[in-house]
Amino acid sequence: MAKQFKSLHPTKFYRDYLNQDIRPDGRLVSKFRPVIINIGSIATADGSALVRIGKTTVICGIKAELCPPKPEKPNEGFLICNVELPPLCSSKFRPGPPSDLAQITTRFVADLILNSGCINLKDLCIVKEKLVWCLYADIICLDHDGCIIDACLLVLLTALKTVRLPVVQYDAAIDKKTIDASVKKCLNIYNTPVSTTYAMFEDKIITDPTTEEEEISSGLLTVVVKDKELCSIHKPGGSPLSEEKLYECINETVNHADLLITLINTAVSECNDDNKNC
Amino acid sequence: MAKFRENLITNCEKKFIIKNLEDHTRLDGRAFDEFRELSIDFGRDWGCCYVSLGKTRVLAQVSCEIQRPKSSRLSEGILSINVELNPLGASHFESGRNSELQVVMNRILEKCVKDSRAVDMESLCIKINEKVWAFRVDINILNHEGNLLDCASIALLAALAHFRRPDVSCDGEETIVHSYAERDAIRTVIHHYPVCITYALFKEGTVVLADPTLLEEGVADASLILGINSYKEVCTLHLGGKALMDPENILKCTSKAAHRASLLVTEIKTVLKQDDERRVQGQINSFQSFKHAQGTKSLDTLTKYLDQWSVQKRKRDSKRKNTENGTVQPLGKGSAVLLPVEDDGAKSWKPSSDENESDSCS
Amino acid sequence: MEVESNVNLSMREVNCKLGMFTRPDGSVFISQGETAVIVGIYGPIEVKPHKILINKASVETHYCPKSGMPGIADKLCESILHNVCEAALASALYPRSSIVIIIQEMQNCGGIIPCAINACCLALLNAGTDMKFLFASASCGLDDEGNFHLDPDDLFLETAAASFIFVFDSIGKGLIASHTSGSFNLAQYQSALELCKKAAEGIFDFYKSTIKKDLKDKI
């Protein structure tokens, strides 16, 4: 009976639940889903992480390559992010060129990482004008159940924390690189931007929505916070939102950010027991 | 998808136009060999040109970058012309690449400008076999009211003539590209200006209309496209459609087109000169034709609102939602989980009063 | 109440022209300072079979850069415009049809997204499509000393510490869209929001005066 009702009147179905301040899966309206982080899952990559927010699963692998820098920026390395939403993760995506959502998420995550200053591209420089590190970060979604931006940002940050780069000696005279694989250095991460997504449904705000809730919602809001400072408030259209509700959401995110940062640090420290030079 | 969203031309419109041609009249009152009004505008960036021919509007932009030369021409630059049928131009235009009209237009413009060697490609070479300038011209069709090719070719030439590329200095190993602020930019060297002139043919080539509008194009049997420069040299000749035209007629058209071409080229050169003078005087007015638009000198009413604006110290909103508590637990090597704290005393379910309790027979 | 000194509170000069194209149902050219944009609306028209929605109109947005193919930065602009227009249009009035919005960049000297959003609203008014509310967009930039600049151009944005773009609706002045870049704290965000809200009110007045003039010319 409930299934038929849900497919015939999806908005009334959700409205009835939300009037009681609870969601169909039993969560309260302001409750987050459990988050699981796992690092080092891809042994061949220089840094990797896997994040699960509820059912949304995203994996990130970072590979490092050596290359000459751009002539306009001779002492900066590269960090190239790419978010893929393959047909595997949801029936909404078809095989072929990247969908609009994948392109937007890539652009948003890439901009955020660089704008927030969490890594400094100058750290990736080995020899000015000759040799720099280029990090390719591939983020692949394995299961899409809402909050894709949160998951991508979290997984990219965790993976960056686990990157281990070997020390490189470069002899400019004879153009020879010697890579010392035994000694590895971590990247300097200056701050941790983390985010939460909210969905607006009529006049209620739902925290951490699933895909179904995102689809029936009339707008989405993503708040990105780093160390008590705001990094981005991304509300790409949707129904109008009053300022009081907006500031409430920002406060919630600031509180939740601390827990997420503790989570990342716990997971990373679990693996760092036998690591040097960090 | 060719006929998708296209405005079809009805039979009565066709009959009406053909009947009018028999009476030697056109819908907009022009003579058979009269062209519509032309206006050329330049934008602030180098190589940005906006042309309107009657109601047809086209925007062209030239951009450049340094690339390896083609292996067949090691000392020449690269020029690529790209016509974009912007969805703005007509409801059936799509941004994809498969449209037949786009391919035809691209090819004719290439034949007219590239194959006739209008632009000096050798001057675009920086270092033989290694680095050359690659010019890319994007032509966007903004409003399609007939005769796209004429408009596009004028925009193409005006944009190329207007464009200045950055200065480059090569000292042995390194090539330094100087920005526009550092050194004066260099003009493109254009040998001659081949413009395209289109004629629509009716009744087996006996009736020839110059500069057809959208409706006339749709009704025409065939079209004759001539690429001519101001020295009366024919660079391109394209005859398409159900054309059974007498060679005498083609020669007559060509001589008329040559006259028109020299007028067009003079017009382009005049507008370019005016723009140059304005820039020298320091006034860079972009898109002059739009300046006769309604506007505000400054948003006057805005100052009335902003006068009342001031930064206020805000009290932090004390009301918050239930603060979420969670616990972080390690899960073994390299993993950790964040679990939300379960709420005790969750509200019990209260049935809503307007629930329909209708049980369907099943 | 404190008044902050050193705040640049003037917007660039805005010029606009309505209905210049004959094919689109509504079209507008808008220039804010040196940034210029053309927006055209086709709608409601025939919808592509795979995009058909039975209860409302399907909104398509295309952002066309001046040269080259649209990149992922353009896709981000497109998604903001798409979501704003979809929220504002009364699409339930036109089921099984499509409303196409095309934004053509003419000149980009900073602040192209707010310019494009304002142009979209005027173009929808020119086309006569039914809307639930009007929307206006304003942007402001924050420099390193904490001073706000309304409607910054690209020279300022290159060195700005943060930049904010807001879109407000005309009825409740609620926030429809917000896009930020750079780092800032909550107090700065709130001040920027208030500043842009006031600017948006000025833009709603500008819409009114533009439409009045346009109708007067026609009559």
Side-chain angles (χ1 to χ4, degrees), chain A residues 44 86 88 105 128 176 178 213 232:
Chain A
T44 47
L88 169 69
T105 318
K128 185 173 166 174
K176 186 162 173 301
T178 35
E213 288 159 5
S232 171

Side-chain angles (χ1 to χ4, degrees), chain A residues 118 157 161 189-194 225-227 257 261 264-265:
Chain A
C118 88
L157 215 50
K161 285 203 169 186
I189 310 280
Y190 296 97
N191 52 45
T192 21
V194 286
V225 161
K226 65 165 194 216
D227 303 335
I261 295 179
I264 299 179
N265 291 335

Side-chain angles (χ1 to χ4, degrees), chain A residues 133-184:
Chain A
W133 280 113
C134 173
L135 298 178
Y136 290 102
D138 291 302
I139 304 171
I140 301 171
C141 176
L142 301 172
D143 201 347
H144 183 16
D145 198 25
C147 293
I148 192 77
I149 293 183
D150 300 349
C152 288
L153 196 57
L154 200 57
V155 82
L156 180 58
L157 215 50
T158 319
L160 281 171
K161 285 203 169 186
T162 63
V163 165
R164 301 273 175 270
L165 296 175
V167 171
V168 177
Q169 251 95 33
Y170 180 66
D171 196 340
I174 47 176
D175 195 24
K176 186 162 173 301
K177 310 168 207 164
T178 35
I179 301 179
D180 189 3
S182 57
V183 183
K184 293 218 177 195

Side-chain angles (χ1 to χ4, degrees), chain C residues 125-147:
Chain C
L125 281 170
N126 185 239
T129 340
D130 292 87
M131 290 198 269
K132 291 186 222 153
F133 47 78
L134 297 179
F135 48 91
S137 161
S139 69
C140 80
L142 182 70
D143 65 13
D144 294 322
E145 287 127 40
N147 297 325

Side-chain angles (χ1 to χ4, degrees), chain B residues 65-69 76-77 124-126 130-134:
Chain B
E65 68 171 7
I66 301 185
Q67 281 182 11
R68 288 194 78 92
E76 283 187 7
L124 300 180
C125 178
I126 303 171
E130 277 184 35
K131 293 196 178 140
V132 294
W133 281 112

Side-chain angles (χ1 to χ4, degrees), chain C residues 88-217:
Chain C
L89 281 170
S91 45
L93 290 175
Y94 312 111
R96 293 192 189 83
S97 66
S98 151
I99 298 181
V100 184
I101 303 171
I102 304 116
I103 303 107
Q104 169 69 46
E105 167 203 343
M106 298 285 279
Q107 228 168 245
N108 186 357
C109 299
I112 193 144
I113 299 184
C115 192
I117 295 177
N118 293 334
C120 272
C121 188
L122 272 172
L124 284 167
L125 281 170
N126 185 239
T129 340
D130 292 87
M131 290 198 269
K132 291 186 222 153
F133 47 78
L134 297 179
F135 48 91
S137 161
S139 69
C140 80
L142 182 70
D143 65 13
D144 294 322
E145 287 127 40
N147 297 325
F148 288 105
H149 288 250
L150 195 56
D151 198 17
D153 57 9
D154 54 354
L155 280 171
F156 179 82
L157 286 172
E158 270 168 35
T159 53
S163 80
F164 310 87
I165 298 173
F166 295 103
V167 182
F168 298 97
D169 79 293
S170 58
I171 301 182
K173 303 288 185 296
L175 181 70
I176 301 183
S178 148
H179 184 71
T180 63
S181 73
S183 322
F184 45 92
N185 59 39
L186 184 60
Q188 287 168 330
Y189 184 74
Q190 288 167 336
S191 312
L193 191 96
E194 292 300 321
L195 177 59
C196 288
K197 207 190 254 201
K198 291 284 191 311
E201 284 171 30
I203 296 185
F204 285 125
D205 284 341
F206 175 67
Y207 290 167
K208 277 196 206 133
S209 57
T210 308
I211 298 285
K212 268 195 219 158
K213 260 193 231 166
D214 185 53
L215 289 174
K216 233 196 271 179
D217 290 339

